[in-house]
Short mmCIF file of all heavy atoms in Angstrom, two decimals:
data_model
loop_
_atom_site.label_atom_id
_atom_site.label_comp_id
_atom_site.label_asym_id
_atom_site.label_seq_id
_atom_site.Cartn_x
_atom_site.Cartn_y
_atom_site.Cartn_z
N ALA A 116 -13.94 -31.61 -126.17
CA ALA A 116 -14.05 -32.34 -124.89
C ALA A 116 -12.83 -32.24 -124.03
O ALA A 116 -12.87 -32.59 -122.85
CB ALA A 116 -14.35 -33.82 -125.20
N SER A 117 -11.69 -31.75 -124.57
CA SER A 117 -10.43 -31.82 -123.83
C SER A 117 -10.43 -30.96 -122.58
O SER A 117 -9.79 -31.27 -121.57
CB SER A 117 -9.25 -31.45 -124.73
OG SER A 117 -9.43 -30.17 -125.24
N GLY A 118 -11.19 -29.86 -122.62
CA GLY A 118 -11.18 -28.98 -121.44
C GLY A 118 -11.76 -29.61 -120.20
O GLY A 118 -11.29 -29.35 -119.09
N GLY A 119 -12.74 -30.48 -120.39
CA GLY A 119 -13.34 -31.14 -119.22
C GLY A 119 -13.08 -32.63 -119.17
O GLY A 119 -13.86 -33.38 -118.61
N ALA A 120 -11.99 -33.05 -119.82
CA ALA A 120 -11.68 -34.46 -119.90
C ALA A 120 -11.37 -35.06 -118.54
O ALA A 120 -10.68 -34.43 -117.71
CB ALA A 120 -10.50 -34.70 -120.85
N ASP A 121 -11.83 -36.29 -118.30
CA ASP A 121 -11.53 -36.97 -117.05
C ASP A 121 -10.06 -37.39 -116.99
O ASP A 121 -9.47 -37.52 -115.92
CB ASP A 121 -12.42 -38.21 -116.91
CG ASP A 121 -13.89 -37.82 -116.72
OD1 ASP A 121 -14.15 -36.73 -116.21
OD2 ASP A 121 -14.76 -38.65 -117.11
N ILE A 122 -9.49 -37.67 -118.17
CA ILE A 122 -8.07 -38.09 -118.24
C ILE A 122 -7.27 -36.94 -118.80
O ILE A 122 -7.49 -36.53 -119.95
CB ILE A 122 -7.93 -39.33 -119.17
CG1 ILE A 122 -8.84 -40.45 -118.69
CG2 ILE A 122 -6.49 -39.78 -119.20
CD1 ILE A 122 -8.86 -41.63 -119.62
N PRO A 123 -6.34 -36.35 -118.06
CA PRO A 123 -5.60 -35.21 -118.54
C PRO A 123 -4.88 -35.51 -119.86
O PRO A 123 -4.21 -36.53 -119.99
CB PRO A 123 -4.59 -34.95 -117.44
CG PRO A 123 -5.23 -35.49 -116.21
CD PRO A 123 -6.01 -36.68 -116.67
N GLY A 124 -5.08 -34.66 -120.84
CA GLY A 124 -4.41 -34.81 -122.15
C GLY A 124 -5.10 -35.73 -123.13
O GLY A 124 -4.68 -35.82 -124.26
N ALA A 125 -6.16 -36.41 -122.71
CA ALA A 125 -6.82 -37.40 -123.56
C ALA A 125 -8.29 -37.30 -123.48
O ALA A 125 -8.85 -36.84 -122.47
CB ALA A 125 -6.37 -38.83 -123.20
N VAL A 126 -8.98 -37.71 -124.55
CA VAL A 126 -10.43 -37.74 -124.60
C VAL A 126 -10.86 -39.14 -124.90
O VAL A 126 -10.37 -39.78 -125.86
CB VAL A 126 -10.99 -36.77 -125.67
CG1 VAL A 126 -12.47 -36.94 -125.84
CG2 VAL A 126 -10.65 -35.32 -125.25
N SER A 127 -11.81 -39.72 -124.10
CA SER A 127 -12.26 -41.08 -124.27
C SER A 127 -13.55 -41.08 -125.10
O SER A 127 -14.45 -40.35 -124.82
CB SER A 127 -12.49 -41.72 -122.91
OG SER A 127 -12.96 -43.04 -123.06
N LEU A 138 -9.06 -43.78 -127.11
CA LEU A 138 -8.50 -42.67 -126.31
C LEU A 138 -7.76 -41.80 -127.31
O LEU A 138 -6.79 -42.22 -127.93
CB LEU A 138 -7.55 -43.22 -125.26
CG LEU A 138 -7.33 -42.42 -123.97
CD1 LEU A 138 -8.70 -42.18 -123.25
CD2 LEU A 138 -6.38 -43.10 -123.03
N GLN A 151 0.59 -38.20 -116.53
CA GLN A 151 -0.36 -38.64 -115.50
C GLN A 151 -0.35 -40.15 -115.31
O GLN A 151 -0.82 -40.69 -114.33
CB GLN A 151 -1.79 -38.17 -115.84
CG GLN A 151 -2.40 -38.72 -117.10
CD GLN A 151 -3.16 -40.02 -116.90
OE1 GLN A 151 -3.69 -40.24 -115.82
NE2 GLN A 151 -3.18 -40.83 -117.92
#
Side-chain angles (χ1 to χ4, degrees):
S117 58
D121 293 333
I122 305 173
V126 172
S127 180
L138 207 57
Q151 64 89 30

